[in-house]
Amino acid sequence: MTPIVKIQAPGKIPALSIRHLTKRFGGALALNDVSLDIAPGEVHGLLGHNGSGKSTLIKILAGFHTPEAGAEISVNGNPIPLPMSPTDPSRLGIAFVHQHLGLIPSLSVLENLRLSAFSTQSHWSINWRLERRRANELFKRFGLSIDPGARLSELTQVERAMVAIVRAFDGLQSNAASTRGILVLDEPTPFLPRTGVNQLFDLVRAIVAQGSSVIFVSHDVDEIIEITDRATILRDGVVAGTVDSKAASNDDFVELIMGRRVKVFQTKHRDFSDQPARFKIERLSGSIVEDAALDIRRGEIVGLTGLIGSGFDEIPYLLSGADPASGGMVSIDGVTHQVRQLTPHFAMKIGLSLLPSERLARAGIGALSVAENMTLPVLERFRTRGFLNWKAIERWANDQNIAYEVRPNRPKLRLQSLSGGNQQKVLLAKWLQLKPILLMLDEPTQGVDVGARQKIYEALNDAASAGTSILCASTDAEQLAQICDRVLVFARGRIVCELTGDEISKDSITEQCLRSASMKTSTGGNQNDRNSRTN
């Protein structure tokens, strides 16, 4: 039985107490009478499927949304007048680090670290020597060796996340009104390799050891179990339960998130080695990848992974013509093409489709409707006498939404209005309707809840069973273990390991990725410095 505990924080006065929090958007309830406590010095997880109300709750705490009448929020025992303004959280000792960090790559680490302070101070000059010393002391306090003078763009993604978290914590400590700050980390780990997640967790533990509390928002149940003391699960706008994280199992969390036991998708890791290769990729090179060679069989799902900067995630973009290749050939059913001559339009014409990781940047158009996004590659099907048949487009989108369980099923709704998981289901339907020969995916379940993941996995498995070959680039070892028939591990731009059959598991994929940092490549030598960069 799931170990549900009381919402009250154990022991001392809660660092943050929320009671009767309700929020409506039009007639829809995004949050319904939500109550929870965050204890001082606690890491408290916040989970829920896409659309469960997590983002709405965070935005109310940030002063972005106004709750309905009757809500109560107190910080360190002090009631807070509602609604909160956008300046109130900082004054109250609440700081936020969002998934995309809010840093400026063209500025230095020090400038990013002190940007908010610089913009609000009235001094005519800045003592850069003093600021640099202060920054060095701050990083040293948390055991970080980051140069304050370095340009942010020169840092790894892990180091950037550290800068964002340290900046938020420093803002809490600089606020005289805050004796016990509250740091909200909103999906901080999807872009980090496992070693980076470990570093981030060490930093989180150091922060709570100094008296602050952390709200850790994540879709990754394993991370929640590892880093949090307790966790609150939202489902359809209400609190499904608050649990002791160490006493709860992965299945317990999933059941609370979904409201039922979910059968986790797992492929049989099929062996295609005795089948002819449908795709032959030879000497493929890009900005990191160098002389990569791999074969893919009909209906096979091949995973590409490695540490960030190893080059595995370049492969789909090079093959689709989205990014320029410096060399290489791809043979499809015996017909050879020079990869550097491929364009996205020609790649689609020969049966290659790409679903990028950036849903509202490269994969979809947020301002367009679900129906428009879904039918962009097939608009000619709906053209009659030079005009688009919009009723037919919406009917088609409605049917696809039903098939892929897109919620809400409103084809006219803008894509950006959907949760991340539902956006991804729309975009997957957009490409699978073409029945491509090869579907290429980059981080297909990044920021997607456990229920939506299972639907995506099932859709990919169905497509593979129908003959589509799939190439999946991902840092999510658990995902690769669930869906792939083979997994190729990259280091310094080259394939250093191939996992098949029983070798494919979350632990073995993670282990091989970590080992790849010190491995030699398949050609017998280490690659040059250009290929050893980690960001």
Side-chain angles (χ1 to χ4, degrees):
M1 183 176 178
T2 305
I4 297 178
V5 299
K6 294 181 179 180
I7 62 169
Q8 285 81 10
K12 303 176 182 178
I13 295 172
L16 175 69
S17 181
I18 296 172
R19 293 291 182 273
H20 311 303
L21 194 63
T22 298
K23 178 62 182 175
R24 288 184 175 86
F25 293 102
L29 268 175
L31 292 173
N32 186 9
D33 198 29
V34 167
S35 296
L36 63 95
D37 284 346
I38 310 298
E42 175 186 40
V43 183
H44 195 105
L46 185 62
L47 301 91
H49 58 69
N50 295 111
S52 64
K54 301 189 306 296
S55 295
T56 302
L57 190 152
I58 297 302
K59 287 178 180 178
I60 288 174
L61 290 179
F64 187 80
H65 288 326
T66 300
E68 307 301 319
E72 300 172 4
I73 297 177
S74 63
V75 175
N76 295 320
N78 301 311
I80 305 304
L82 297 174
M84 293 167 61
S85 74
T87 60
D88 283 343
S90 177
R91 177 179 60 82
L92 296 168
I94 305 174
F96 301 83
V97 177
H98 299 288
Q99 186 179 95
H100 296 286
L101 305 181
L103 301 173
I104 303 175
S106 60
L107 297 182
S108 70
V109 170
L110 177 56
E111 289 167 331
N112 274 282
L113 199 63
R114 300 289 289 154
L115 187 60
S116 178
F118 292 162
S119 66
T120 56
Q121 291 174 353
S122 57
H123 303 303
W124 288 95
S125 63
I126 297 171
N127 186 334
W128 289 105
R129 182 176 296 177
L130 178 63
E131 293 290 349
R132 185 181 180 89
R133 185 167 67 246
R134 183 180 181 279
N136 275 320
E137 291 172 353
L138 184 62
F139 288 136
K140 185 178 179 180
R141 181 178 176 183
F142 293 106
L144 302 175
S145 56
I146 297 175
D147 179 7
R151 191 179 297 274
L152 190 84
S153 59
E154 298 171 355
L155 269 58
T156 67
Q157 189 66 27
V158 176
E159 290 170 329
R160 295 182 197 184
M162 300 298 182
V163 170
I165 294 172
V166 168
R167 179 178 68 176
F169 179 77
D170 186 44
L172 296 179
Q173 298 301 297
S174 299
N175 191 325
S178 174
T179 56
R180 297 189 313 203
I182 302 161
L183 180 61
V184 181
L185 301 182
D186 191 1
E187 295 278 1
T189 59
F191 302 115
L192 303 182
R194 181 63 223 183
T195 51
V197 173
N198 291 337
Q199 288 178 271
L200 185 144
F201 285 178
D202 288 341
L203 180 56
V204 168
R205 294 183 183 105
I207 288 172
V208 297
Q210 299 186 36
S212 290
S213 303
V214 174
I215 299 175
F216 190 88
V217 185
S218 179
H219 284 301
D220 192 314
V221 173
D222 289 339
E223 289 182 358
I224 290 289
I225 291 173
E226 179 178 351
I227 190 59
T228 67
D229 301 296
R230 296 185 304 149
T232 294
I233 296 89
L234 295 178
R235 184 171 69 244
D236 299 329
V238 301
V239 173
T242 295
V243 303
D244 179 337
S245 300
K246 300 300 185 289
S249 68
N250 194 292
D251 287 343
D252 292 332
F253 275 102
V254 171
E255 184 173 5
L256 284 171
I257 291 168
M258 301 305 298
R260 54 184 170 83
R261 288 282 172 175
V262 175
K263 184 179 179 181
V264 176
F265 179 86
Q266 180 67 58
T267 188
K268 295 180 179 179
H269 303 312
R270 298 159 296 184
D271 182 3
F272 288 81
S273 59
D274 61 345
Q275 298 185 24
R278 191 173 195 184
F279 296 88
K280 282 185 173 290
I281 299 163
E282 299 175 289
R283 303 190 66 82
L284 180 62
S285 298
S287 61
I288 303 176
V289 171
E290 190 169 318
D291 291 335
L294 60 140
D295 296 344
I296 310 171
R297 280 80 175 178
R298 178 185 177 89
E300 186 179 25
I301 302 179
V302 178
L304 308 176
T305 192
L307 299 181
I308 289 179
S310 60
F312 72 93
D313 51 347
E314 264 197 336
I315 301 290
Y317 296 93
L318 297 175
L319 292 176
S320 67
D323 287 348
S326 57
M329 298 176 293
V330 56
S331 297
I332 306 172
D333 293 330
V335 179
T336 300
H337 306 275
Q338 297 293 326
V339 179
R340 72 174 71 187
Q341 296 176 357
L342 293 180
T343 64
H345 178 74
F346 184 71
M348 286 174 57
K349 188 176 179 179
I350 61 175
L352 309 182
S353 293
L354 167 68
L355 178 52
S357 60
E358 302 96 330
R359 281 193 283 272
L360 297 183
R362 301 182 74 170
I365 303 173
L368 294 183
S369 71
V370 169
E372 288 168 328
N373 272 278
M374 197 175 283
T375 54
L376 272 174
V378 293
L379 281 177
E380 288 303 315
R381 297 180 185 176
F382 302 96
R383 193 181 299 277
T384 304
R385 299 177 183 176
F387 295 94
L388 290 174
N389 185 335
W390 286 103
K391 287 186 178 180
I393 287 174
E394 289 171 13
R395 283 196 302 269
W396 172 257
N398 180 79
D399 292 343
Q400 295 298 299
N401 283 349
I402 293 172
Y404 286 86
E405 299 179 7
V406 176
R407 298 186 179 93
N409 185 0
R410 293 168 56 187
K412 292 183 179 181
L413 198 66
R414 289 185 178 182
L415 183 67
Q416 63 194 20
S417 300
L418 298 182
S419 65
N422 285 298
Q423 289 174 8
Q424 192 72 342
K425 286 187 278 189
V426 168
L427 296 169
L428 187 61
K430 167 185 174 180
W431 292 115
L432 284 180
Q433 68 183 324
L434 295 178
K435 295 181 171 55
I437 297 173
L438 176 65
L439 176 64
M440 296 172 286
L441 309 158
D442 182 16
E443 300 291 2
T445 58
Q446 188 169 267
V448 173
D449 68 73
V450 63
R453 280 182 176 227
Q454 305 314 308
K455 183 59 184 177
I456 290 170
Y457 297 161
E458 290 171 8
L460 294 177
N461 186 67
D462 289 345
S465 297
T468 293
S469 301
I470 296 173
L471 203 58
C472 179
S474 179
T475 55
D476 188 333
E478 183 174 17
Q479 167 189 269
L480 295 173
Q482 284 182 254
I483 66 173
C484 292
D485 302 304
R486 277 191 297 147
V487 176
L488 306 177
V489 180
F490 279 68
R492 293 171 293 280
R494 298 199 178 192
I495 298 168
V496 295
C497 178
E498 177 181 281
L499 300 174
T500 60
D502 293 339
E503 297 172 331
I504 301 176
S505 69
K506 178 180 178 180
D507 289 343
S508 63
I509 294 170
T510 301
E511 179 184 355
Q512 292 302 326
C513 286
L514 294 176
R515 285 185 175 183
S516 72
S518 58
M519 279 184 180
K520 293 185 176 182
T521 65
S522 57
T523 57
N526 290 319
Q527 299 306 298
N528 56 35
D529 290 339
R530 176 177 68 84
N531 285 335
S532 65
R533 65 188 180 95
T534 58
N535 185 53

